[in-house]
């Protein structure tokens, strides 16, 4: 089996560490693993496949000889090194939002539009985490009948804001119990025992940058240029796994049985829908794994062509790290 030289840019962050775990879990055929990060992490050793791999400095020239670079850094860092990565002959699979809407950069969820990855010119973008989870849940329905519109409300875990998010949640929860001082530095308000109906910056239309990603990225990934999406994004006091309530409208009227069967047979999805026994997706059952759980499937009461569902998925894994590794596996001709 051919082996590949793989780099991780931003290897010490939450997503970078998860990429490392998933490469090991999935037995990705690696010849050389190059972990790249900022100066403060250089020299740190990280275990991988029974050996210690030393963190190297992310800098110009650090990408020579690599086949794939998995990006787990900020937009600024991705833009700083993208040209150097491409010039080195590697494919840059980037988790930031820096290049997602560029016309010449494929935006990939392998189970949905994996073949688009082969159209890359050296850069492939990973979609937004909530977009990935939502589209995974509804893609099988789109195959039955084209989706015309979606109304989505996302309930996003604190780890979506980085490793410091859950730390702030836990510190605030402890402070509430102990009567201590509540400090909010990661989030704009207290997150413990609270919901914050803003993720991203507000735009002129009243929606946030995070909310518009669902429509803009959804159109590109699903090849539905006229898709309409109304989205509200809410930060919730959960450590891991994003949840999304979705109501969608299809061209044709579909039965619930058709929808359930399609989702049950969709790669990467798990039908988890037995309300009589209180079985439905929740963050506590969807964390630390790669499937998107789908349940609460029912007919919309407003539009006869509408379907309403609830889905949950681990946004650090399938919503970020796993999706990036799967793109590399797709390009390498491996079963992802």
């Amino acid at each position: 089996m051919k082996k590949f030289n793989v780099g991780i840019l931003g290897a010490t962050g939450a997503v970078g560490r998860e990429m490392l775990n998933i490469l090991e879990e999935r037995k990705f055929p690696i010849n050389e693993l190059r972990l790249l990060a900022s100066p403060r992490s250089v020299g740190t050793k990280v275990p991988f496949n029974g050996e210690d791999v030393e963190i190297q400095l992310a800098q110009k020239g650090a990408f020579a000889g690599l086949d794939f670079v998995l990006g787990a850094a900020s937009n600024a860092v991705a833009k700083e090194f993208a040209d150097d990565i491409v010039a080195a002959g590697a494919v840059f699979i980037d988790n930031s939002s820096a290049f997602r809407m560029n016309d010449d950069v494929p935006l990939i969820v392998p189970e949905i539009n994996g073949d688009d990855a082969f159209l890359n010119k050296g850069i492939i973008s990973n979609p937004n985490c909530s977009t990935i989870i939502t589209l995974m849940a509804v893609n099988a329905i789109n195959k039955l009948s084209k989706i015309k519109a979606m109304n989505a409300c996302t309930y996003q875990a604190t780890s979506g804001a980085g490793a410091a998010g859950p730390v702030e949640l836990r510190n605030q929860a402890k402070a509430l119990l102990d009567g201590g001082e509540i400090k909010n530095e990661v989030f704009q308000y207290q997150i413990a025992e609270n919901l914050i109906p803003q993720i991203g910056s507000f735009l002129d239309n009243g929606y946030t940058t995070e909310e518009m990603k669902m429509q803009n990225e959804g159109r590109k990934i699903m090849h539905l240029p006229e898709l309409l999406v109304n989205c509200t994004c809410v930060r919730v006091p959960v450590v891991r796994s994003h949840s999304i309530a979705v109501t969608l409208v299809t061209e044709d009227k579909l039965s619930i049985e058709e929808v359930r069967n399609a989702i049950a047979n969709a790669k990467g999805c798990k039908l988890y829908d037995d309300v009589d026994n209180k079985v439905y997706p929740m963050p506590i059952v969807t964390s630390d794994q790669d499937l998107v759980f789908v349940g609460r499937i029912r007919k919309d009461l407003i539009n006869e062509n509408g379907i309403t569902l609830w889905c949950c998925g681990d946004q650090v894994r399938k919503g970020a790290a796993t999706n990036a590794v799967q793109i590399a596996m797709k390009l390498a001709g491996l079963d992802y």
Side-chain angles (χ1 to χ4, degrees):
M1 177 185 290
K2 181 180 178 180
K3 293 188 176 182
F4 299 88
N5 297 331
V6 178
I8 299 179
L9 177 63
T12 56
V15 173
R17 293 195 304 270
E18 200 67 68
M19 287 173 171
L20 193 64
N21 293 336
I22 292 160
L23 286 169
E24 185 168 351
E25 284 177 19
R26 298 198 171 219
K27 297 180 172 57
F28 194 94
I30 292 178
N31 177 53
E32 179 193 352
L33 177 66
R34 202 175 301 172
L35 304 182
L36 303 162
S38 62
R40 67 177 178 271
S41 299
V42 171
T44 303
K45 292 185 178 181
V46 178
F48 180 77
N49 277 342
E51 299 180 0
D52 288 335
V53 181
E54 188 171 308
I55 302 291
Q56 301 179 40
L57 180 63
Q59 60 182 334
K60 301 288 186 181
F63 310 98
L66 294 178
D67 298 299
F68 300 109
V69 175
L70 306 180
S74 67
N75 284 16
V77 171
K79 290 177 179 178
E80 179 182 358
F81 293 114
D83 288 345
D84 198 43
I85 294 169
V86 174
V91 177
F92 184 26
I93 303 171
D94 179 35
N95 193 62
S96 84
S97 62
F99 309 105
R100 286 177 186 162
M101 299 315 298
N102 289 17
D103 290 339
D104 60 348
V105 175
L107 183 64
I108 302 298
V109 180
E111 295 91 341
I112 299 174
N113 66 331
D115 288 344
D116 289 356
F118 295 102
L119 303 175
N120 79 84
K121 297 179 180 178
I123 302 175
I124 296 173
S125 280
N126 229 22
N128 173 261
C129 48
S130 291
T131 299
I132 292 174
I133 294 165
T134 303
L135 298 191
M136 283 290 295
V138 305
N139 184 55
I141 301 172
N142 187 59
K143 290 181 178 180
L144 294 175
S145 177
K146 186 169 79 171
I147 296 172
K148 297 170 62 178
M150 292 198 302
N151 189 359
C153 292
T154 74
Y155 304 86
Q156 298 184 211
T158 54
S159 52
V167 174
E168 183 156 297
L169 170 61
R170 288 175 175 134
N171 287 344
Q172 290 179 358
K174 186 176 187 301
L176 286 170
L177 288 172
D178 298 343
E181 181 185 359
I182 302 295
K183 296 180 180 179
N184 51 283
E185 297 172 346
V186 178
F187 305 108
Q188 57 269 56
Y189 293 100
Q190 173 186 319
I191 187 59
E193 300 186 4
N194 192 29
L195 303 176
I196 303 174
Q198 178 194 352
I199 302 176
S201 304
F202 283 106
L203 301 169
D204 290 342
N205 63 1
Y207 290 81
T208 68
T209 51
E210 182 81 1
E211 289 163 352
M212 291 309 300
K213 289 173 185 177
M214 189 77 76
Q215 174 172 281
N216 297 336
E217 296 181 17
R219 289 175 171 181
K220 185 173 181 178
I221 295 162
M222 300 186 79
H223 299 170
L224 295 174
E226 298 179 354
L227 177 68
L228 299 174
V229 179
N230 188 75
C231 186
T232 301
C233 293
V234 184
R235 186 72 69 190
V236 297
V238 168
V239 171
R240 190 151 169 157
S241 275
H242 289 352
S243 305
I244 303 99
V246 185
T247 295
L248 55 86
V249 178
T250 54
E251 283 192 339
D252 305 310
K253 187 176 180 179
L254 301 174
S255 71
I256 294 301
E257 184 179 4
E258 285 179 288
V259 170
R260 286 172 56 85
N261 287 339
I263 291 171
N265 290 292
K267 184 174 183 178
C269 284
K270 180 179 179 66
L271 181 67
Y272 200 71
D273 190 20
D274 182 0
V275 294
D276 290 340
N277 291 299
K278 298 182 177 62
V279 172
Y280 30 69
M282 295 181 291
I284 201 167
V285 298
T286 57
S287 295
D288 299 308
Q289 56 83 55
D290 293 325
L291 297 176
V292 172
F293 284 45
V294 186
R296 295 294 318 277
I297 301 168
R298 57 206 189 273
K299 292 292 292 183
D300 180 34
L301 298 179
I302 297 174
N303 190 311
E304 65 176 10
N305 285 13
I307 299 291
T308 294
L309 58 82
W310 171 262
C311 61
C312 293
D314 188 317
Q315 89 288 350
V316 183
R317 288 183 65 102
K318 181 54 184 171
T322 298
N323 199 74
V325 172
Q326 287 177 310
I327 293 170
M329 295 178 78
K330 176 76 175 180
L331 293 174
L334 304 170
D335 183 11
Y336 56 85

